[in-house]
Each structure stands twice: as structure tokens, then as C-alpha cells.
Amino acid sequence: MPLFTQPEHITNFFKCGFPKLDDYKCFDCDTIKAQNPIEWELSEEYNKITIQKRLLARMAIMRTAAYLVIQDGKILFEEYWLNFDQNSKMNSFSVSKSIVALLIGIAIEERKIESINQKVKDFIPYFSQGKDSLLTIIDLLSMSSGLNWSEEFANPMSDIIIAYYGNSLDSLIRGSQVEETPGKKWNYQCGNTLLLTDILEKATGKKVYDYAQEKLWIPLGSTNDALWGKDSSSGTTKSFCCFYATPRDFAKLGLLVLNKGKFNGKQIVSEEYINIITTPSKWLKYKNKNVDFYGLHVWLVPQKKKIPYFSGMFGQYVFIIPEKNAVVVRFGEMLNELTIQPLPQDVKLYLKVAERILQSSKNYNYEN
């Protein structure tokens, strides 16, 4: 018997390498089937608008893989790099957290969950003692749970690294406890999403990927199957990350939020819930300031004109721009700073490019 056994997540790291857009090729995944696809309409101006060379150069430096601008429900601009194309599945990383948030809203509408204020202990009994008993769904959604979860990417033994590369997510979830009073401080933790998923599966009696297929992927007329990563031993979904789909299909999730939960004439998520998750969690504190950059598992550009967005590591973005009736999708392999709050600097680049494209469109409203 060997004197030293390497942890499974370290073995998987050396096998799979650093996180990347196509690492579904290395990890186990469940398939989310697309049925009755609805193809995107192309604008009359599709790809007729050029991006300035200096902005294109900056996009290239950031290793952009896909960039789409949708306005009035039609694709206005679309470009791919790094050998990806419109049918390439890409890792969304933490964009998947926003998908979980949408599913929570659907479960509430179906009365599987009472409300975002319901106690976690109603679904997970071991959260019934001490500070654990105070924890609510909105605390998880707003990243204010106070969990004992370590989000240190530089530490090979942190919870986030074990969650991404390990084979036993269930043991991580069972080890979660509330250390600080919930609902007070904003602290980004992937463990929150794992607990939300556990709640979702207990409430609906369905695996999260099946629920996503039934309630989102099929109603949105997605054109390609998606994948959702899982650990290999228990089959637990890595719901905090690892939802793989095409940028065009991710754009439909943005369009759903833009249209206040409605798609193709059908209300999929309630308008009230969309308004709630895209409103800043200003009752929370981050570095002694009120939180104006985060709603409920949805990021917000902190400015007067509200721009909600889904965000994932290395600059995976789905921006919703109500003022322009537009959705912007950017996927790639790099962002230009490690700090994700209150606003990554690369966000400004992608929104500037979108603004130039939208300004060049004949449909641009100059009164805005």
C-alpha cells in the first residue's frame, strides 16, 4: 500500500489542466436535450457593421472566442475566434448560477417552493440548529449566507478547487455550515449555488438538469443540446459552473430576462421574479458599502441605467440592455483583472463595442 495517496481532485487537475471553454471533453456531464428548435432571425444589417481595429485588437488580446449583439430579437452582429463557431459548446462557468436562479423562480411559480424567504431547513434538515436555522433561500441567492466555504483559487485544498476537480460534491455540501449571521454581508461563494440546487431537486423531485431541460431549454427553443458537468462518483451536478452550450443558445437566456420572463409569447419566469433578481441587494454590505453590483445570482453594472448580466470566470458574459432592447454575449478565455466586484474592467470594453455597433445600426434610438 503506498505511503502517500494523492487527493482525487489533484489527480483530476493534472489530467484535465486549468479550466477552459471545452473542458467538457475531460469531465463527466449530463445532457440537456434540445427539442423543437427556434432558429434566430438575422437582422437586415447582420454583420454589415464593422468594429474599429483598435477595439478588435483589444478583443483579440483578451482571447475572445465569441461575440454576439442581438437587438429587437434579431442577431445584428456575430463573430467567432480561436477555432470556435456558432455550434461550439462553451463552458459558461458561473453563468450557470443565473440559470439556477431562473429555475428557482419557476419552482416558486409552480408552488414547489413557497418564496425566496423560505428557510433552507425546510428542505435540508441538517440546517436546523444555531445560525444554520436562520438561513433562507434569498440569503443563498444574494451571496450573503455566511457559509464556511473557501473560494480561494490559489489554494489547491480550497472548497472551490475540490468542487471543480473532485468526485464527491455531496460531502462538500454536507460539510457546509453557517459561520456568520446570514443576510448581512456579501461574500461570493459557489457553495450557495450547490445548496440552492439541493433545495431545487428536493422541491421538484427532479434532477436539476432534467428540470432545466423541461422548464428552460425546450421552451426557449434551444437549437443545440447542452451539457451540465457533474462529479463522477455520485452524479451530483456542478451547478455552480460547467453549463456548456452555444453562445446563440445562451443569448436566449438573456432575451428571456430582457422580455421580463417571457419568450415566444409564453411567460416562462414571472415578471415579478425577474424584477426582484435584477434589483441590487442594497441591504447587504461589501467593504462597508451598500451592494449595488449584485442582485440575486445576477450581476449588475452599477450605474443609473440598469444593465443586468450573467457572469462567468475568464469573461463569460450575457448582458441585458433594456434601454436598447438588446442582448450582448461574450465568451472567451481571459479577463484583465482578478477582482470580479464591483465591475471587471473588461466589461467596459465589451459594452463599448456593443454601443458602437448599436449606434451604427439604423434602428438606434438617438433619443436615448
Side-chain angles (χ1 to χ4, degrees), residues 276-290:
I276 290 171
I277 65 174
T278 57
T279 298
S281 302
K282 289 188 176 180
W283 67 90
L284 300 177
K285 293 287 186 180
Y286 176 72
K287 294 184 177 180
N288 295 319
K289 294 181 179 180
N290 293 332

Side-chain angles (χ1 to χ4, degrees), residues 163-341:
Y164 196 88
Y165 289 101
N167 297 337
S168 52
L169 268 180
D170 282 350
S171 62
L172 271 181
I173 297 170
R174 287 194 301 270
S176 298
Q177 289 182 314
V178 176
E179 287 186 327
E180 298 184 12
T181 302
K184 301 293 185 182
K185 296 180 181 179
W186 186 89
N187 185 23
Y188 191 86
Q189 296 174 312
C190 290
N192 292 324
T193 312
L194 288 171
L195 287 176
L196 284 169
T197 305
D198 195 10
I199 290 168
L200 194 61
E201 292 186 340
K202 285 181 168 65
T204 63
K206 299 177 181 179
K207 291 293 186 180
V208 66
Y209 54 87
D210 283 333
Y211 198 61
Q213 175 177 291
E214 177 187 348
K215 302 299 180 181
L216 281 178
W217 217 240
I218 293 175
L220 289 177
S222 302
T223 54
N224 287 275
D225 292 350
L227 301 172
W228 212 335
K230 61 181 178 180
D231 68 3
S232 58
S233 60
S234 65
T236 302
T237 302
K238 294 195 283 190
S239 57
F240 62 93
C241 73
C242 314
F243 191 104
Y244 305 89
T246 65
R248 281 191 171 197
D249 282 337
F250 278 117
K252 288 183 177 179
L253 292 166
L255 191 62
L256 178 67
V257 175
L258 178 68
N259 292 331
K260 299 293 186 180
K262 186 178 289 187
F263 187 87
N264 202 29
K266 180 182 179 182
Q267 197 75 41
I268 296 174
V269 186
S270 78
E271 180 174 348
E272 179 185 10
Y273 184 77
I274 295 295
N275 288 334
I276 290 171
I277 65 174
T278 57
T279 298
S281 302
K282 289 188 176 180
W283 67 90
L284 300 177
K285 293 287 186 180
Y286 176 72
K287 294 184 177 180
N288 295 319
K289 294 181 179 180
N290 293 332
V291 171
D292 62 353
F293 56 85
Y294 202 79
L296 302 184
H297 264 43
V298 175
W299 294 84
L300 300 163
V301 176
Q303 60 183 34
K304 291 181 180 179
K305 298 172 182 177
K306 184 168 69 173
I307 300 178
Y309 66 102
F310 307 161
S311 175
M313 187 168 65
F314 303 135
Q316 322 316 320
Y317 297 119
V318 179
F319 299 102
I320 296 99
I321 311 177
E323 179 194 18
K324 310 296 184 197
N325 198 31
V327 172
V328 177
V329 176
R330 186 274 180 185
F331 274 59
E333 296 182 345
M334 187 183 295
L335 51 73
N336 62 359
E337 64 177 354
L338 294 176
T339 303
I340 59 173
Q341 67 278 346

Side-chain angles (χ1 to χ4, degrees), residues 8-19:
E8 60 189 6
H9 71 279
I10 300 297
T11 300
N12 287 338
F13 170 76
F14 285 115
K15 174 187 174 184
C16 299
F18 288 103

Side-chain angles (χ1 to χ4, degrees), residues 355-368:
E355 179 73 12
R356 299 292 174 85
I357 290 171
L358 292 167
Q359 283 180 353
S360 298
S361 168
K362 65 182 181 181
N363 294 323
Y364 178 75
N365 183 352
Y366 287 93
E367 294 181 357
N368 289 330

Side-chain angles (χ1 to χ4, degrees), residues 135-155:
L135 191 62
T136 63
I137 290 173
I138 193 173
D139 297 328
L140 297 173
L141 284 168
S142 62
M143 293 292 177
S144 62
S145 62
L147 288 177
N148 61 334
W149 174 278
S150 55
E151 194 88 2
E152 302 168 2
F153 289 94
N155 178 2

